[in-house]
Amino acid sequence: MTHGVRSPSPDFLAFWRERHVCTLTTTRPDGSPHVTPVGVTYDPVAGVARVIANKNSRKVANILAASAGTGAEEGARAGGGGGARVAVCQVQGRRWSTLEGRATVRTEPEAVADAESRYAERYERTPTPNPDRVVIEIEVNRTLGRG
């Protein structure tokens, strides 16, 4: 079932506020999928999902490789269609939800601090300090789920 990106149901929003391990799916340069467990926060007002990550991780490398040479990072930040196609998903029993969109990597200290704060609120723990931390921001354009 499709849900409104910026006007999801209360049940859908509640599910994205509960503490769940999620998965992030990116595409490797050879086109194969890379799926990894992550923590995700979702801001339906902005239509943005956020994942904190190490700048040297495979998921970040995949996003940067998909965005390379296209000006995609700048386009996505400005509201354009740039960035790498990704999906984040969470499952609990028969309930599931997927957020799809274009991802960019943010390195600005204020963006990282904001994402860490959102993570701490959802997952009820402060992330371990990491000077190599970046934020994967996903401009969500499709939401799916059952629950």
Side-chain angles (χ1 to χ4, degrees):
M1 169 184 281
T2 302
H3 298 270
V5 173
R6 296 199 175 168
S7 59
S9 72
D11 289 342
F12 184 86
L13 284 178
F15 189 44
W16 277 99
R17 288 186 186 112
E18 295 171 9
R19 186 172 188 220
H20 295 288
V21 174
C22 303
T23 60
L24 170 68
T25 303
T26 60
T27 304
R28 294 183 185 100
D30 70 3
S32 63
H34 176 260
V35 183
T36 187
V38 295
V40 177
T41 62
Y42 179 45
D43 177 355
V45 174
V48 173
R50 293 174 180 85
V51 175
I52 56 175
N54 187 299
K55 70 180 180 182
N56 300 309
S57 66
R58 168 54 42 205
K59 58 187 160 279
V60 169
N62 289 343
I63 292 166
L64 293 175
S67 300
T70 63
E73 275 189 62
E74 294 80 12
R77 287 188 197 150
R85 296 284 307 157
V86 301
V88 289
C89 183
Q90 64 182 15
V91 177
Q92 181 191 37
R94 295 180 61 141
R95 293 189 310 161
W96 64 273
S97 179
T98 300
L99 307 176
E100 298 178 6
R102 299 245 176 220
T104 56
V105 177
R106 304 274 311 266
T107 60
E108 304 89 347
E110 55 279 354
V112 173
D114 177 59
E116 289 172 332
S117 175
R118 291 170 187 272
Y119 177 96
E121 183 178 337
R122 180 175 187 196
Y123 290 96
E124 299 175 348
R125 73 173 197 84
T126 301
T128 305
N130 179 354
D132 291 332
R133 182 165 288 133
V134 296
V135 180
I136 298 169
E137 281 194 357
I138 305 162
E139 187 177 330
V140 178
N141 59 21
R142 177 191 268 171
T143 61
L144 304 164
R146 178 180 179 179

